[in-house]
Amino acid sequence: LLVDEVAFVPTNLWEEMTDSLFPSQDALAQKQKILISTPNGMNHWYHLVTGARNGLNGYRFFTSDWKQVPRYNRDGTLKNVDDFKDEIIKKNGKQFFAQNYALEFLGSSSTLINSEALKNLVPMDDSLVLYNTLFDGLRIFEEPKASSSYVLGVDPKKEGIDKLAIQVIDVTNLPFKQVASYNGDMSYLNAPARIFDLGTYYNNALIVVENNIDNSIVDTLFYQYEYEGEIFKEENKNILGFRTTVKTKKILLSLLKKLIEENKLEINDKKSIDEFFVFVEQKNGSFSAEDGYHDDLIMALMISLAPFINIKHFEDFKGFIDFVEKKRIESEEEAEEFAKFFSGVSFNTGITDDDISMLEKDVLSFNY
C-alpha cells in the first residue's frame, strides 16, 4: 500500500481512512505500507514522522537531502546548491523552502501556539500516568502535595459539540503545572459530585466553572455539596462561575499562549497537547478546533486561568498565589476549630437501642 502526499490529506479524513483501511491490510500475511510526503504544518504527518524517528510506532524513517538532487542551468552546467536555494527563496520565501526542500515541520501560522513551542510539548510517559483514581476517565500526572495550591477549571459539556472537560493546575510557583485532566461524556447530574471529589482531593482547590450554558453545576457545588474551598465568582457579578465572552476569551488565550511559549506552564496530558496542534485561528479572528476536532481541554485550561485575567506580568502571579494559599489555610483552620468545638460535646439523648427498634416498627404520619 503506497500513499503519497499524506500530510495534505485533511487530518479527519486521514483518520477515517486509516481506521477502515489499515486494519484490513494488517490481516494479510504479507503486507507493506509506504507513506510519503513533504511536511504540511504540524499535523498527523508530523506525529507519524516523529514516532518513526523515535522508534515508537513501528514505521522506519527515510528521508532525502535536497542538496543531493542535481539541478542544472539552462546551458546544461550543474547548478550550485546555494544558488538554487537563493532562487527558490527569492521566488517563494524562506518558509516555502524550509518546508518543501529542507523538510522542516513548521507549525501553521494560524495555530495559537507557535511551532517551536508545539515541538517542545512532550506528554508524560503513559506508564507514569495514574488513571481512574477518583472516577473513570480521570488522568492524574501528579498527586496533591500538602503545601501546594491548585486551581480547577471546568468547561461544561456543550450538547453535540464538546465533552465536559476538567483541568487541575498547580499554581504554587512558576512554572505552573498541569497535574490532572479529564474529558468525557459526564452528565450534568454526575459532574458536581466528581468535581467536588477532585477539588477536595487537591487541597480544596479554587474551582472555576464556566457558566455560559447554565449555572447548575456551580450552584450544586455551593448550595448542595457546600464545597469548603473557594468557588470563583467574577467581580461585581451576582452569580457564581465565569462567563466567557469574545473579550475574555481573547485575553485568556493570550495569557495561555504566553505561559506555554515562555515555559511557564507545564502540560503533561497527551490529549491536551494533541488539541493544541489543531487549535487554529478562524476567519472571524477567533480560535477554535479545526473541523472534526474538539477543543474542550484547551477551553478548560483557559478557564482555569480566569482568576489571573487582570494580571499583566508574571511577577504579579505571586500575589494571587498568596491569596489562594491564605484562603486554603483559613479553611483548614476553620475545620480544626469546628472539630475542637465538638470534641468535648456529648450528644447523649437518652434514647436506647430498644427505643430505636420500636421507632422502626411504628408507622409515621404527618398531619398538616
Side-chain angles (χ1 to χ4, degrees), residues 316-328:
D316 297 333
F317 280 111
K318 184 61 180 170
F320 184 83
I321 293 168
D322 289 343
F323 167 78
V324 173
E325 176 66 8
K326 179 183 177 184
K327 287 290 184 181
R328 186 178 70 83

Side-chain angles (χ1 to χ4, degrees), residues 185-197:
D185 294 315
M186 188 185 296
S187 71
Y188 271 78
L189 295 176
N190 294 329
R194 303 290 80 81
I195 295 167
F196 174 87
D197 290 342

Side-chain angles (χ1 to χ4, degrees), residues 17-201:
M17 184 183 80
T18 56
D19 287 347
S20 59
L21 185 60
F22 284 7
S24 300
Q25 191 202 25
D26 289 339
L28 299 174
Q30 294 182 333
K31 67 264 187 180
Q32 187 176 40
K33 296 187 192 78
I34 301 175
L35 309 180
I36 304 172
S37 188
T38 53
N40 182 33
M42 298 175 72
N43 56 8
H44 56 282
W45 179 241
Y46 168 78
H47 292 294
L48 279 168
V49 170
T50 302
R53 279 174 167 162
N54 296 327
L56 300 176
N57 58 12
Y59 287 99
R60 295 176 63 190
F61 177 70
F62 298 91
T63 188
S64 59
D65 191 332
W66 65 275
K67 296 177 183 178
Q68 296 175 340
V69 180
R71 293 173 174 90
Y72 299 90
N73 297 306
R74 290 185 179 180
D75 61 4
T77 58
L78 190 65
K79 184 173 291 188
N80 180 278
V81 291
D82 291 326
D83 291 341
F84 171 77
K85 177 181 177 180
D86 291 341
E87 287 179 10
I88 297 299
I89 291 176
K90 185 176 180 180
K91 186 184 298 183
N92 299 294
K94 290 182 179 179
Q95 182 166 325
F96 179 88
F97 180 86
Q99 184 163 278
N100 293 282
Y101 288 89
L103 303 182
E104 293 181 14
F105 284 95
L106 305 174
S108 167
S109 60
S110 60
T111 52
L112 175 71
I113 308 300
N114 68 43
S115 59
E116 289 306 310
L118 284 176
K119 291 177 183 177
N120 291 329
L121 292 179
V122 179
M124 176 177 285
D125 189 295
D126 194 61
S127 64
L128 302 176
V129 180
L130 301 177
Y131 288 97
N132 309 325
T133 300
L134 297 177
F135 51 86
D136 289 346
L138 178 65
R139 305 177 293 279
I140 288 181
F141 314 108
E142 183 176 283
E143 294 184 273
K145 297 178 179 178
S147 60
S148 291
S149 298
Y150 300 92
V151 175
L152 190 155
V154 182
D155 182 34
K157 178 180 177 182
K158 301 172 180 63
E159 202 63 40
I161 304 175
D162 283 321
K163 301 177 181 181
L164 181 138
I166 305 171
Q167 299 277 15
V168 185
I169 309 298
D170 183 340
V171 297
T172 311
N173 295 295
L174 287 171
F176 293 167
K177 183 185 298 184
Q178 180 192 40
V179 295
S181 184
Y182 168 86
N183 61 323
D185 294 315
M186 188 185 296
S187 71
Y188 271 78
L189 295 176
N190 294 329
R194 303 290 80 81
I195 295 167
F196 174 87
D197 290 342
L198 189 58
T200 303
Y201 183 67

